Each structure stands twice: as C-alpha cells, then as structure tokens.
C-alpha cells in the first residue's frame, strides 16, 4: 500500500514540538522588493536631477569666474621726454679768434653732446665752430671769449672738475670757466632752474677738450 503524505491546510495550525520549547523568532524583517514602476520612477527622478545639477554648477562657476580684465592704462610721459622746441637757428655772435683758441674751440664743439638733459641741440646763425645752442628758450655755449674779472670775494663753483664763475643777468644766469686756457661761457635762461645742473654734461666735454690753465681763483683749488 502506497503511503500518501498530505500538506497541512492553509488555516491549519502547525503542530507544536513535543519538547515544549518555542521556535526562535527571526531577527530581521524581509526587505520588500522593488517592482517595475518603482524603478522607473527612480530613473526619471535621476534624469531630471542631473541637468539641474549641471545648470547650478554652471551658474556658480559664472559667478566665481573673474570678469574681463580692464584695458591697461596708457603710460604717462616720463620726465626724460624731450621738450617741444623750435628748430630755428639761434642768433649768436662769432668774433674772430686767434689760431690757438680757434683750434681748442673746434675740438670742444666737435665733442659736445647732442642734447643737454632734455634739450636737443639747435643750429646757430654764425660760428658753428665756436658756438652751440640747445632747447627753446635757447641755452647757449660760446667758446673763445674773454675771461671774466672775478672779484676776490666772489663765489666760484666746481662742477665735474671744471671751475665756473656765476653772474646773474636779468633773463639768464651766465657761467664762465675760470680754470681753462680758453674761456667757455654758458648762458642758462631763467626758465631752467638750478643752472649748475645744466652745465654738468658740458663740464665733462670741457675737461676732455679744453686744457686747464690761466690764473685760477683760490676757490677752485683744494
């Protein structure tokens, strides 16, 4: 005879163990599974969130990015910029010179700088071999004239190893060498302040081309 084993019915209570002990209860609850509609809703939410995040990041970057740099300022002219000046020849006298002074003066004129500070050299009306001019109003250099008579109490100034006697006139300061065999006279218009500074580059040329000599005042030695 075959043995047939039947399953308990749905409403039937399972038999308790004969030992009298209760069965252990599960410690974790079963996690319910996602159905298809739930997964689709999550995917749609993700697709919507990504563009929004990208847009927010782009907006933040635009706010933090530096603005277009301003154009560089136009440089201002420096102090060394040449003064505007006339190119008209400067009127100067050209007295006849003896052979020796004429030779010395030609050497001086050939070595003078093309500019004195910011004053460019200008042509002269006469005696280019003994005269020179710079700027407007014109600062002039005349070589070969008579040496001035220097009072015993007069001030003399040594500039770059050349001794100058200073005489004030109405519209200019006149500086004349007093320690050279041939005198050199520089006339500095009142428009140019601190006249001793204007003869500094000329003094360098005087040292190089005009020999020292003459009756040198005491203030030039020492």
């Amino acid at each position: 005879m075959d043995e047939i084993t039947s399953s308990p019915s749905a409403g039937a209570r399972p038999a308790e163990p004969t030992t009298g002990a209760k069965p252990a209860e599960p410690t974790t609850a079963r996690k319910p599974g996602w159905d298809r509609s739930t997964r689709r809703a999550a995917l749609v939410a993700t697709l919507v969130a990504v563009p929004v995040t990208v847009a927010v990041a782009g907006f933040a970057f635009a706010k933090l990015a530096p603005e277009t740099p301003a154009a560089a300022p136009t440089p201002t002219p420096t102090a060394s910029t040449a003064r505007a000046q006339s190119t008209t020849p400067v009127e100067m006298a050209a007295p006849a010179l003896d052979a020796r002074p004429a030779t010395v003066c030609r050497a001086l004129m050939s070595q003078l700088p093309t500019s004195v500070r910011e004053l460019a050299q200008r042509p002269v009306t006469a005696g280019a071999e003994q005269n020179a001019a710079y700027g407007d109003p014109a600062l002039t250099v005349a070589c070969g004239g008579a040496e001035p008579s220097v009072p015993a109490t007069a001030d003399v100034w040594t500039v770059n190893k050349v001794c100058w006697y200073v005489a004030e006139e109405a519209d200019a300061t006149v500086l004349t060498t007093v320690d050279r065999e041939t005198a050199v006279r520089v006339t500095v218009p009142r428009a140019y302040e601190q006249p001793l500074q204007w003869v500094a580059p000329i003094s360098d040329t005087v040292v190089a081309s005009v020999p020292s000599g003459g009756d040198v005042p005491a203030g030039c030695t020492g």
Side-chain angles (χ1 to χ4, degrees):
M1 179 180 295
D2 296 333
E3 183 177 359
I4 302 174
T5 304
S6 61
S7 299
S9 63
R13 182 178 180 180
E16 296 182 357
T18 56
T19 58
K22 289 185 177 182
E25 296 181 358
T27 57
T28 58
R30 181 180 178 184
K31 183 177 180 180
W34 286 11
D35 57 17
R36 180 176 301 177
S37 61
T38 302
R39 289 196 299 272
R40 182 171 183 178
L43 178 60
V44 171
T46 301
L47 294 176
V48 171
V50 169
V52 172
T53 301
V54 172
V56 171
F59 177 76
F61 178 79
K63 295 294 288 182
L64 295 176
E67 298 180 356
T68 303
T74 302
T76 56
T78 63
S80 60
T81 302
R83 296 172 184 251
Q85 65 179 53
S86 172
T87 57
T88 304
V90 176
E91 185 173 353
M92 296 185 70
L97 300 177
D98 292 338
R100 176 61 181 173
T103 300
V104 171
C105 290
R106 281 196 298 269
L108 173 67
M109 294 298 141
S110 68
Q111 297 183 50
L112 282 175
T114 58
S115 62
V116 173
R117 300 177 73 180
E118 69 266 31
L119 305 181
Q121 190 168 9
R122 293 174 60 182
V124 294
T125 57
E129 70 282 355
Q130 64 193 79
N131 293 324
Y134 297 86
D136 186 11
L139 178 153
T140 61
V141 182
C143 178
E147 287 193 3
S149 177
V150 181
T153 58
D155 289 332
V156 291
W157 303 89
T158 299
V159 180
N160 292 5
K161 300 181 180 181
V162 176
C163 191
W164 299 89
Y165 169 65
V166 180
E168 299 294 344
E169 296 185 355
D171 57 353
T173 300
V174 179
L175 302 95
T176 308
T177 61
V178 290
D179 62 345
R180 301 288 143 175
E181 70 170 52
T182 299
V184 178
R185 185 176 69 256
V186 178
T187 302
V188 182
R190 293 289 184 191
Y192 308 134
E193 298 179 353
Q194 301 178 340
L196 290 175
Q197 294 188 5
W198 293 93
V199 298
I202 299 170
S203 293
D204 294 337
T205 308
V206 169
V207 170
S209 57
V210 182
S212 59
D215 188 11
V216 180
C220 296
T221 61

